[in-house]
Amino acid sequence: MIAMVHQLLVFTGTYARKIRLAYLFTFLKAVAANTPLMVAVKLIDMLIKGEADIKTAIYAAAVMLLLLAIQAICQNIADRLQAGAGYKVFAEKRLELGRHLRRLPMGYFTAGNIGKISSVLSADMVFIEEQAMAAVSEVTSSIAAQIILTGFLFALHPLFGAVAIATELTAILFAQSMIRLSARNSKLRQKSIEALTGAVLEYTEGLGVIKSYNLTGSGAEDIRASFARMKEASLSFEEEYSPKERTLLIIYSLGMTAILALNIWLFQHGALSSTVFVGCMLFAFNLFTPLKQLYQKTGILTIMQAALDRVNEVFNERELEDTGTESLPQTADMEITFKNVSFDYGDKEVLHNLSFSIEQGQMVAFVGQSGGGKSTIMNILARFWDISKGEILLRGKNIKELPLTVLMDHISMVFQRVYLFEDTIANNIAFGMPDADRAAVIEAAKKASLHEFVASLPNGYDTEVGELGTTLSGGERQRIGLARAFLHDAPLMLLDEPTSNLDSLNEGIILKSLKEKSKDKTLVIVSHRMSTLNIAHDIFKMKKDM
């Protein structure tokens, strides 16, 4: 358990000092909480000897009140130091995680990890923040209280202390199997939450398709299966864990019984005074309560450890290197050059020794069968992924030697699936250029054949669109994506199926805009439409296993 607490301290970084300071006040609270027992023993001794009077009772009451006040003060200070540090740590860790995710390759987000990211943010971090930090404080308090009680037993009689130590060591050794079992279950629990989160996200994203085929019941099979797996795993854990917990309670009871029996035997043989006999009887029944409370926190601490491991897994994902210091020249003969480029998705190679060049100011189209690597070329050119072999040059500079900010400022992209935020149309268009004025937004919308549609809406450019743009048609979303790219006005435009959801009229307007307004830009287009291909200066045909 100490190792688990240490792992949390390492994770908290600079805030670990405050948490360690909280341990001091937790220890003082434990001292204040257990000192009344010693005061009680002293009072009993004075009563037996006939030395107690009203003044003694008043002093004892004052000491008790003082100890109660010390407990409250120490608890308050410990909570402020520890819980406060916990909330601050995770406020910073969430921001740090956001920065880290921003620098990860796009491949990470298409490898089934969306559910994991969601569960790390909404389950793992929240659990540690709200549950584990308080549990760590209670663990510290329980350990301190058990040490104090054991020391007091030694003060009463060395044999009492020896029996207590033997009981505690037996309990600690036996509890290791409980901790291992709980740790294994905690990992499965957090994995199950991740799987369930992923299933819910997939179900809600595909709800429109599911409803269209009247499969709202059967479409939720993955969610039901995830719930069933969580239920079975929890029941299996309880069946395996409960007997161990009962055994641990029996160990405590045997230790307590042994101390009581020893107390009576020693008293009968005149080895104990009446004061010690009564004092032992007073608190023997609660002697192992702190140890019991300690191991009741096993589940929380092992879940905390599993949650920390999962959070660290995400933080340990390798980021795209961003150490470039080069800058791009204003002009160059070749805008893009691929030299013997190879790229694979895991074990599947998509591009093999691919080489080509595109002159600055050219409009080039890529065509070919699905899976041939057309969209992949776009993605590796923007460094959403890094290639496995070869090099990609932008105006003669290796893109890995460019700062990512320089690279992305040079590129405007329109994806096959346009992502819209739950905001106004104007803000969605200006997403990449938040300082753009309304006139610039309108001009970009006109280039994308979007202005007339937006102007016809009651709130115009201030019309709110639903999350993911669900209130708009596919063609309207695509035109907002194009307007966004026009507004960015970068020297290189990468367009992945930019007109696939448009009718022939709007497609013609947009193609005309691309041809007339982008004469000084380099355009790379992926398309299957001949009308789109006709405006290209050159066409590259892609096939699988190139």
Side-chain angles (χ1 to χ4, degrees):
M1 281 195 172
I2 293 173
M4 297 179 197
V5 173
H6 176 70
Q7 184 180 359
L8 180 63
L9 286 174
V10 171
F11 182 80
T12 56
T14 57
Y15 288 95
R17 180 175 167 275
K18 283 189 174 183
I19 297 173
R20 288 192 181 96
L21 184 59
Y23 292 166
L24 172 62
F25 289 97
T26 301
F27 177 79
L28 292 174
K29 177 208 163 191
V31 171
N34 289 281
T35 300
L37 289 171
M38 303 170 197
V39 174
V41 171
K42 180 63 178 176
L43 282 173
I44 291 168
D45 182 52
M46 293 178 72
L47 284 168
I48 292 172
K49 293 177 180 178
E51 297 174 355
D53 54 20
I54 189 64
K55 189 181 291 186
T56 304
I58 293 172
Y59 285 153
V63 170
M64 293 294 189
L65 287 172
L66 177 62
L67 290 170
L68 188 63
I70 291 172
Q71 282 186 66
I73 292 168
C74 289
Q75 183 67 59
N76 181 270
I77 294 172
D79 286 345
R80 285 177 178 275
L81 288 170
Q82 194 154 275
Y87 286 116
K88 289 177 182 177
V89 165
F90 282 94
E92 292 181 8
K93 287 293 181 182
R94 287 185 179 94
L95 293 174
E96 185 182 339
L97 181 61
R99 290 189 292 268
H100 175 65
L101 292 173
R102 195 174 61 197
R103 294 191 289 265
L104 290 179
M106 287 297 293
Y108 179 76
F109 301 97
T110 58
N113 285 320
I114 299 300
K116 181 173 185 176
I117 294 168
S118 297
S119 63
V120 162
L121 283 166
S122 62
D124 296 321
M125 284 188 165
V126 171
F127 183 87
I128 301 169
E129 184 179 45
E130 295 182 352
Q131 302 287 333
M133 297 302 293
V136 167
S137 176
E138 291 174 26
V139 165
T140 308
S141 178
S142 296
I143 292 173
Q146 194 63 52
I147 291 171
I148 292 166
L149 287 173
T150 304
F152 187 49
L153 275 180
F154 269 109
L156 291 177
H157 197 285
L159 285 178
F160 292 159
V163 173
I165 289 288
T167 304
E168 289 160 3
L169 288 175
T170 303
I172 290 168
L173 289 172
F174 181 80
Q176 299 312 300
S177 62
M178 293 174 58
I179 293 172
R180 287 192 294 270
L181 174 62
S182 185
R184 187 175 74 240
N185 175 73
S186 296
K187 289 180 181 178
L188 292 173
R189 175 187 181 274
Q190 299 308 99
K191 284 282 186 185
S192 298
I193 292 174
E194 176 188 327
L196 179 61
T197 304
V200 170
L201 287 171
E202 184 179 30
Y203 181 78
T204 51
E205 284 182 1
L207 193 57
V209 176
I210 293 169
K211 280 188 173 183
S212 68
Y213 286 95
N214 197 26
L215 294 173
T216 49
S218 57
E221 287 178 2
D222 285 347
I223 298 176
R224 283 196 291 270
S226 294
F227 277 123
R229 283 193 295 270
M230 286 188 71
K231 181 194 75 173
E232 293 301 325
S234 296
L235 289 174
S236 175
F237 169 71
E238 290 299 332
E239 288 174 0
E240 196 174 353
Y241 190 81
S242 294
K244 294 181 181 295
E245 196 169 33
R246 286 196 298 271
T247 303
L248 196 59
L249 290 174
I250 290 171
I251 292 172
Y252 300 144
S253 300
L254 289 174
M256 179 188 67
T257 303
I259 289 173
L260 288 172
L262 182 61
N263 186 39
I264 295 170
W265 185 81
L266 289 172
F267 182 69
Q268 287 176 339
H269 287 77
L272 292 180
S273 65
S274 299
T275 301
V276 172
F277 174 75
V278 174
C280 183
M281 295 294 288
L282 267 178
F283 71 90
F285 293 98
N286 294 320
L287 174 61
F288 299 110
T289 297
L291 197 61
K292 192 185 302 182
Q293 291 172 341
L294 175 66
Y295 285 111
Q296 284 174 349
K297 299 298 177 186
T298 298
I300 291 177
L301 289 177
T302 52
I303 292 173
M304 176 200 78
Q305 187 178 40
L308 277 175
D309 289 341
R310 285 165 47 78
V311 172
N312 284 324
E313 277 179 21
V314 178
F315 274 114
N316 291 335
E317 286 291 332
R318 187 179 176 185
E319 298 178 357
L320 281 174
E321 290 185 12
D322 187 16
T323 57
T325 57
E326 294 284 343
S327 59
L328 286 170
Q330 291 296 315
T331 59
D333 291 336
M334 294 298 168
E335 183 77 36
I336 301 166
T337 303
F338 274 50
K339 290 185 176 180
N340 301 315
V341 170
S342 296
F343 176 77
D344 56 77
Y345 292 106
D347 297 329
K348 181 184 178 184
E349 188 173 59
V350 180
L351 302 175
H352 180 71
N353 286 337
L354 178 64
S355 298
F356 64 84
S357 294
I358 298 174
E359 294 179 13
Q360 185 175 349
Q362 271 197 323
M363 187 182 298
V364 173
F366 284 86
V367 298
Q369 61 192 131
S370 296
K374 303 182 299 296
S375 296
T376 299
I377 288 173
M378 303 279 202
N379 290 325
I380 62 177
L381 184 54
R383 278 201 77 194
F384 288 166
W385 292 273
D386 271 339
I387 57 178
S388 51
K389 194 173 73 171
E391 61 177 343
I392 301 173
L393 305 180
L394 190 61
R395 295 190 176 181
K397 302 288 186 179
N398 190 316
I399 59 172
K400 290 185 179 181
E401 296 174 0
L402 298 172
L404 284 173
T405 52
V406 171
L407 177 64
M408 299 316 298
D409 282 343
H410 191 78
I411 296 173
S412 291
M413 290 193 73
V414 177
F415 297 96
Q416 199 166 345
R417 182 185 178 188
V418 177
Y419 189 97
L420 298 184
F421 298 89
E422 194 167 1
D423 204 340
T424 64
I425 291 176
N427 287 341
N428 268 285
I429 293 173
F431 178 73
M433 302 288 288
D435 296 329
D437 58 25
R438 183 57 59 92
V441 169
I442 292 173
E443 181 60 28
K446 287 179 178 178
K447 291 180 182 178
S449 188
L450 182 68
H451 178 66
E452 289 185 9
F453 160 71
V454 177
S456 69
L457 297 172
N459 295 320
Y461 284 88
D462 294 319
T463 300
E464 296 275 345
V465 298
E467 188 175 2
L468 303 179
T470 50
T471 58
L472 302 175
S473 69
E476 289 157 358
R477 289 197 298 272
Q478 197 159 37
R479 280 182 280 166
I480 289 177
L482 284 162
R484 192 184 280 168
F486 280 127
L487 183 61
H488 190 209
D489 198 30
L492 174 60
M493 295 184 71
L494 306 179
L495 310 173
D496 193 356
E497 297 286 0
T499 60
S500 58
N501 290 317
L502 303 180
D503 55 41
S504 57
L505 176 61
N506 283 312
E507 180 192 23
I509 295 171
I510 288 170
L511 292 179
K512 184 180 178 183
S513 291
L514 287 173
K515 195 170 183 178
E516 293 179 354
K517 307 292 185 182
S518 306
K519 289 181 179 179
D520 57 340
K521 302 182 187 302
T522 304
L523 273 70
V524 179
I525 303 173
V526 169
S527 181
H528 290 91
R529 288 190 171 187
M530 284 305 300
S531 52
T532 303
L533 300 177
N534 286 336
I535 67 170
H537 298 122
D538 205 353
I539 297 174
F540 291 93
K541 293 184 179 180
M542 303 288 293
K543 61 181 180 180
K544 287 186 178 181
D545 305 319
M546 283 193 71

